[in-house]
Amino acid sequence: MLRVSDLTVFHGHLMALQGLSLYLEEGEMVTVIGSNGAGKSTLLNTLSGLVSPRSGSIRFEEREVAGMSPEEICGLGIVQVPEGRKLFAGMTVLENLEMGAYLPGARRRFRREVERVFEKFPRLKDRRHQVAGTLSGGEQQMLAIARAMVALPRILMLDEPSLGLSPLMAEEIYGVIRDLNRDGMTILLVSQEVHVALAMASRGYVLENGRIVREGEGKALLRDPGIRSAYLGI
């Protein structure tokens, strides 16, 4: 469904991604793990069109998307939930969801899709007229995911969805992500919650200094002694 080949990205004179290749099959959940500064957010921002690659290929269903605008990429169905949520804090829950459906195709289906996300997130339905900035951290993350869902994603990309959340709320958010994948959503997950991310993912990639250094089935990577030592302290 998505194939990234030999992707190289610079931030100024600094190489952020170097010769990176990965793929994502329809219906999979694939996770990318790595330390701070490894290039995980840069990868998602490049796939979203927010960052332009120096070289390499990004093909979505055999269509080259590298160089497309973020709006065009979102219109194809590659939708990102950014790190830190990036909500419109002064707008209500419902208004934030409306902003997620700004493209014409999503706008036409907004009423149906908003009911679907309210079924998935009943807490948001109860707070639909509440200002987003007054929600709890977990509720804000739910809203960020729901806003992406009304954009009609074919691939949902999540950047550190548990950042700043309590362990209990993080567990709830990951449960939602797992349910979305079981319902058929294709997911690319970036997370420093290594144990959780690898345990729930079909496959995983380990990113270090802008390069993929390991890849494989999620549970197999979780048993890898090098990963257990480097990321789990075992």
Side-chain angles (χ1 to χ4, degrees):
M1 191 175 191
L2 181 74
R3 183 169 294 277
V4 179
S5 303
D6 202 23
L7 191 68
T8 297
V9 177
F10 278 79
H11 291 315
H13 297 293
L14 179 66
M15 185 179 290
L17 299 176
Q18 184 175 3
L20 183 147
S21 297
L22 57 79
Y23 70 93
L24 186 62
E25 299 280 7
E26 187 168 5
E28 276 193 310
M29 185 192 306
V30 171
T31 189
V32 179
I33 66 169
S35 58
N36 282 331
K40 303 186 303 296
S41 293
T42 297
L43 171 62
L44 294 196
N45 289 337
T46 305
L47 298 180
S48 296
L50 298 170
V51 175
S52 297
R54 179 73 60 88
S55 62
S57 173
I58 304 169
R59 299 189 69 83
F60 174 64
E61 296 186 328
E62 301 305 320
R63 180 174 182 176
E64 183 62 48
V65 301
M68 285 187 177
S69 69
E71 181 178 357
E72 290 173 317
I73 290 173
C74 185
L76 292 175
I78 302 174
V79 179
Q80 181 177 356
V81 180
E83 181 180 346
R85 301 180 277 274
K86 305 295 193 295
L87 298 174
F88 300 97
M91 299 171 68
T92 67
V93 166
L94 190 57
E95 288 168 340
N96 269 271
L97 294 175
E98 289 171 346
M99 293 300 291
Y102 75 96
L103 291 173
R107 195 178 306 128
R108 287 192 295 270
R109 292 172 56 179
F110 176 71
R111 289 189 179 181
R112 183 177 69 182
E113 293 303 314
V114 79
E115 288 305 316
R116 188 166 72 94
V117 300
F118 280 158
E119 288 178 9
K120 183 69 69 176
F121 302 104
R123 209 177 307 181
L124 295 182
K125 184 175 184 179
D126 294 340
R127 291 160 172 73
R128 60 189 179 277
H129 299 303
Q130 186 172 331
V131 173
T134 65
L135 299 174
S136 70
E139 290 165 348
Q140 289 185 20
Q141 187 62 60
M142 290 177 186
L143 179 55
I145 295 172
R147 183 179 60 182
M149 288 173 62
V150 299
L152 307 179
R154 300 285 310 287
I155 296 177
L156 183 64
M157 304 191 300
L158 299 120
D159 194 353
E160 302 291 359
S162 62
L163 188 68
L165 302 184
S166 69
L168 188 62
M169 185 54 70
E171 183 178 349
E172 185 172 346
I173 291 296
Y174 280 116
V176 168
I177 295 168
R178 190 181 296 109
D179 288 345
L180 289 173
N181 180 242
R182 287 173 178 166
D183 290 343
M185 180 69 69
T186 305
I187 293 175
L188 181 58
L189 170 66
V190 159
S191 178
Q192 289 192 56
E193 296 285 349
V194 172
H195 191 282
V196 176
L198 290 177
M200 63 193 287
S202 311
R203 293 184 299 106
Y205 293 89
V206 181
L207 187 59
E208 292 181 4
N209 298 318
R211 290 176 175 270
I212 299 293
V213 296
R214 280 190 179 89
E215 61 182 277
E217 293 184 359
K219 290 182 173 60
L221 288 174
L222 196 53
R223 295 190 298 268
D224 185 291
I227 291 174
R228 292 169 68 82
S229 174
Y231 297 102
L232 300 175
I234 298 175

